[in-house]
């Protein structure tokens, strides 16, 4: 099974970035104000924490373990900043989805046995972020759990990750 040693440094950084970009893509699809963004950010982080105890896939466990190190967090943060700095939400979403596509391709090439579990995990993160905050309401009232823009983004993510 794959772990950090299976990939080059750049490929591993791409995989770390993809974990964060799975959630950012949904947030960028329909930014939902400060509280919504906070809830969505927490959903992304909680997905990492949950994977720490739930993940059976060694690649997912290795990624989560690397996020627990300052080196792993720094690599992901620096990569995100380089790719997303100065972008508007629509362009940010597009770049995130492209990163997810590249990450899936990298895992398919280097560790084909892990590609399905890895992609499903990234999609699960996106789904959790989409469901974290209601969209279109006012002061917590009304709105929908997942907006049409978020549903469309989840569909794009599904295609990029090759998940059904």
């Amino acid at each position: 099974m794959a772990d950090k040693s299976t990939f080059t440094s750049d490929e591993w950084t791409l995989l770390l970035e993809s974990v964060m970009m799975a959630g950012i893509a949904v947030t960028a699809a329909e930014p939902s104000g400060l509280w919504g963004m906070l809830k969505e950010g927490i959903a992304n982080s909680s997905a990492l924490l949950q994977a720490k105890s739930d993940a059976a896939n060694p690649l997912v466990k290795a990624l989560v373990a690397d996020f627990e190190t300052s080196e792993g967090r720094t690599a992901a943060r620096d990569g995100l900043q380089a790719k997303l700095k100065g972008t508007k939400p629509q362009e940010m979403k597009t770049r995130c989805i492209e990163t997810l596509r590249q990450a899936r391709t990298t895992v398919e090439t280097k560790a084909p046995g892990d590609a399905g579990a890895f992609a499903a995990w990234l999609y699960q993160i996106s789904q959790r972020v989409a469901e974290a905050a209601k969209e279109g309401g006012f002061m917590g009232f009304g709105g929908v759990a997942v907006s049409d823009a978020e549903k469309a983004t989840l569909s794009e993510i599904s295609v990029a990750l090759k998940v059904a």
Side-chain angles (χ1 to χ4, degrees):
M1 289 290 159
D3 61 14
K4 189 174 182 175
S5 66
T6 308
F7 302 92
T8 67
S9 176
D10 287 344
E11 289 168 340
W12 189 252
T13 299
L14 173 70
L15 300 186
L16 289 171
E17 292 167 3
S18 71
V19 174
M20 302 308 296
M21 290 196 180
I24 292 170
V26 174
T27 299
E30 186 160 333
S32 52
L34 178 62
W35 291 116
M37 288 176 60
L38 181 61
K39 287 179 182 179
E40 290 172 349
I42 290 170
N44 200 335
S45 297
S46 71
L48 274 172
L49 289 173
Q50 182 177 357
K52 181 178 177 181
S53 59
D54 294 352
N57 181 272
L59 176 58
V60 171
K61 284 188 178 226
L63 285 160
V64 171
D66 209 26
F67 267 102
E68 293 180 325
T69 68
S70 63
E71 179 183 278
R73 288 188 305 272
T74 299
R77 183 192 64 230
D78 291 351
L80 289 172
Q81 286 177 345
K83 288 183 179 176
L84 302 178
K85 186 175 182 178
T87 60
K88 303 231 182 283
Q90 185 60 39
E91 183 182 356
M92 185 179 293
K93 181 188 94 162
T94 301
R95 288 185 187 184
C96 288
I97 292 171
E98 181 55 32
T99 297
L100 296 175
R101 183 176 289 109
Q102 291 169 0
R104 169 65 192 225
T105 300
T106 299
V107 175
E108 280 178 331
T109 303
K110 292 281 190 104
D114 292 313
F118 171 73
W121 178 56
L122 292 181
Y123 185 80
Q124 179 186 32
I125 292 170
S126 298
Q127 184 73 42
R128 285 182 73 173
V129 169
E131 295 169 352
K134 284 189 174 186
E135 307 296 335
F138 179 72
M139 296 185 69
F141 298 100
V144 294
V146 181
S147 71
D148 289 342
E150 289 173 330
K151 287 177 186 174
T153 300
L154 287 171
S155 178
E156 290 178 64
I157 291 170
S158 175
V159 169
L161 293 173
K162 299 180 184 176
V163 295

